[in-house]
Amino acid sequence: MTASTKPSHHHGNLRSALIEAGVQLLREGGLEALTLRKAAGVAGVSHAAPAHHFASLTNLRSAIAAAGFEIFDASMKCEIKKVSPSNPSEVVRAACRGYILFAIENPALFSLMFGGTELIREEPPLGASSGHAYETLTNICLPFSTDAKSLEKMRMLVWSLVHGFTSLMLAQQKNFPLVDDAIQQFEEMLPDFSKFQSME
Amino acid sequence: MTASTKPSHHHGNLRSALIEAGVQLLREGGLEALTLRKAAGVAGVSHAAPAHHFASLTNLRSAIAAAGFEIFDASMKCEIKKVSPSNPSEVVRAACRGYILFAIENPALFSLMFGGTELIREEPPLGASSGHAYETLTNICLPFSTDAKSLEKMRMLVWSLVHGFTSLMLAQQKNFPLVDDAIQQFEEMLPDFSKFQSME
DNA sequence: TTCAATAACTAGACATCGTCAAGTTTAGCC
DNA sequence: GGCTAAACTTGACGATGTCTAGTTATTGAA
């Protein structure tokens, strides 16, 4: 193990390098640019090297989606931190901003995560990572619910609204509206959740 | 032109046969089962025959998506016809039932239409077909709006809600809940639109 | 009716892709 | 130092999108 990075036969941490390469390929060339061979190329290994870490392309996709869910969760949490936690409606709006921002900044990754591509949910990281985002979405709904059933309804309402809006925005035009315009349009559409309790 | 369908060198209507074959492939094998060569095989022509009708796989996908939007629109209209037009809230619920039903019955087609696959919107049929569904969604929102701006907001709200719910339902588990369960869950989540006017 | 022009399709080829099988190199442990 | 197992390379295979060239059928005009 010399100090200089000699062309060692062993990569060292190929698994995470492939995930990172995959994220980059998605960003640069969209869904179809993510191939095992290209990811191997970016990571600087031979075309068959990924097989030792990912049994198939579906496995690599699943791992990348898992990484995406972590970034996704972080994006929501980042926006949530910017607002006062004492205003639950503002917290929901902030989380949705993080949701939309993530999708605009990582459209192909968002499509991979939610777009119908076959993924392996049993692969532990994917289940765990999407669970984190699920938790965040649940937490922001807690102030609006009195029991498990109303929590479930609120979470589904918020999640459906922001996810539907985001998906349709991405599907409709590839030249997105400016980020701020998208978020403004979403917030204008958003109903006043604080009045929902009395609507039953 | 004999009466019997002799194995003519000319297929006759290959373009629509390829679209139909594509829909079948999607239904049977999901997104990744749709290939130009398989569609050609199902239609009974050589692997390069599709090139005369579709310049690329993306073009075939776009045409199939366009066909999907027509089925999609028909599914909403079919459910709308079953309820009284004098009850606008019930009409919205019916359209959403059609939306969810279509997605459950054609998950891969739904993913192709909305899942981030690159499509050619300029290809006339796709724009026109998705326009029909857009019109239907607009029409059911008319009773809830007073001007163009409120119509836009209502359409975006309804569309985002039902689209988000449907997408998340498809993404979460491949073994769907029973259709009736999914629709019931959606309708329980759905806010009372008739009260929305006064919420501004 | 005949025939030429054009459209529809076939056959073959190429690069790229996922995946498998077999070797080769390295790391870690005794 | 040497052995074992993991990490990686090389080479191959079938499938895929797409291109080129050739073949067949339809059509429209003479």
Side-chain angles (χ1 to χ4, degrees):
Chain A
M1 191 86 60
T2 63
S4 69
T5 58
K6 74 169 178 183
S8 163
H9 206 80
H10 280 225
H11 179 283
N13 201 351
L14 184 52
R15 185 185 159 92
S16 54
L18 287 169
I19 294 176
E20 197 167 335
V23 171
Q24 178 187 335
L25 287 168
L26 281 177
R27 200 166 312 210
E28 290 173 359
L31 269 183
E32 322 212 331
L34 171 59
T35 69
L36 279 170
R37 291 173 107 107
K38 280 187 198 151
V42 171
V45 295
S46 77
H47 67 265
H52 265 262
H53 300 275
F54 302 101
S56 75
L57 175 58
T58 302
N59 290 76
L60 175 59
R61 284 189 178 138
S62 304
I64 292 172
F69 271 106
E70 297 293 353
I71 305 174
F72 173 59
D73 187 37
S75 178
M76 286 192 289
K77 287 194 169 116
C78 171
E79 293 299 316
I80 289 173
K81 248 186 274 182
K82 294 180 185 171
V83 302
S84 160
S86 64
N87 186 337
S89 291
E90 193 51 42
V91 170
V92 169
R93 271 194 290 277
C96 290
R97 275 196 295 277
Y99 205 113
I100 295 168
L101 279 170
F102 169 78
I104 289 181
E105 286 168 6
N106 309 275
L109 187 50
F110 186 85
S111 293
L112 179 69
M113 290 157 59
F114 292 110
T117 315
E118 187 200 355
L119 296 177
I120 299 171
R121 315 197 85 67
E122 290 69 31
E123 191 104 342
L126 179 53
S129 300
S130 61
H132 294 161
Y134 187 82
E135 252 181 65
T136 300
L137 279 163
T138 302
N139 287 338
I140 64 172
C141 292
L142 279 172
F144 298 94
S145 65
T146 55
D147 57 1
K149 198 170 171 69
S150 70
L151 173 60
E152 170 68 19
K153 280 167 63 173
M154 182 67 185
R155 175 178 51 210
M156 211 58 220
L157 183 70
V158 172
W159 199 1
S160 293
L161 262 174
V162 66
H163 185 77
F165 179 88
T166 305
S167 300
L168 292 171
M169 179 186 67
L170 291 187
Q172 275 179 311
Q173 62 246 10
K174 285 297 178 189
N175 27 342
F176 309 118
L178 292 181
V179 177
D180 292 341
D181 292 353
I183 288 175
Q184 186 190 341
Q185 191 186 346
F186 176 78
E187 298 197 344
E188 280 179 8
M189 176 197 76
L190 206 61
D192 185 349
F193 292 123
S194 64
K195 297 189 182 164
F196 266 40
Q197 296 290 75
S198 56
M199 287 177 52
E200 316 235 345
Chain B
M1 189 90 61
T2 63
S4 71
T5 59
K6 74 170 178 183
S8 163
H9 205 80
H10 280 222
H11 179 281
N13 201 350
L14 184 53
R15 185 186 160 90
S16 54
L18 287 170
I19 294 175
E20 197 166 336
V23 171
Q24 178 187 332
L25 288 169
L26 282 177
R27 200 166 313 211
E28 290 172 359
L31 268 183
E32 320 212 332
L34 171 58
T35 68
L36 278 170
R37 293 172 105 108
K38 280 187 198 152
V42 171
V45 294
S46 77
H47 68 265
H52 265 262
H53 301 273
F54 302 101
S56 75
L57 175 60
T58 302
N59 291 75
L60 175 60
R61 283 188 179 139
S62 303
I64 292 172
F69 270 106
E70 297 294 352
I71 306 174
F72 173 59
D73 187 36
S75 178
M76 285 192 289
K77 288 195 168 112
C78 171
E79 293 298 317
I80 289 172
K81 250 187 272 182
K82 294 180 184 170
V83 301
S84 160
S86 65
N87 186 338
S89 291
E90 193 52 42
V91 170
V92 169
R93 270 193 291 276
C96 290
R97 275 196 295 277
Y99 205 113
I100 295 168
L101 279 169
F102 169 79
I104 289 182
E105 286 168 5
N106 309 276
L109 188 48
F110 186 85
S111 293
L112 179 68
M113 291 157 59
F114 292 108
T117 315
E118 186 200 357
L119 296 177
I120 300 171
R121 313 200 84 70
E122 290 71 30
E123 191 104 339
L126 179 54
S129 300
S130 62
H132 295 160
Y134 187 81
E135 255 182 61
T136 300
L137 279 163
T138 303
N139 287 337
I140 64 172
C141 292
L142 279 172
F144 298 94
S145 65
T146 55
D147 57 1
K149 198 171 170 70
S150 70
L151 174 60
E152 169 69 19
K153 280 168 64 171
M154 182 68 186
R155 176 179 51 211
M156 210 59 220
L157 182 70
V158 172
W159 198 1
S160 294
L161 261 175
V162 65
H163 185 77
F165 179 87
T166 305
S167 299
L168 292 170
M169 179 185 68
L170 291 187
Q172 275 180 311
Q173 62 246 10
K174 283 297 177 191
N175 29 340
F176 309 118
L178 292 181
V179 177
D180 293 341
D181 291 353
I183 289 175
Q184 187 190 341
Q185 191 186 346
F186 177 76
E187 299 196 344
E188 280 180 7
M189 176 197 77
L190 206 61
D192 186 348
F193 292 123
S194 65
K195 297 188 183 165
F196 267 40
Q197 295 291 75
S198 56
M199 286 177 52
E200 315 237 347

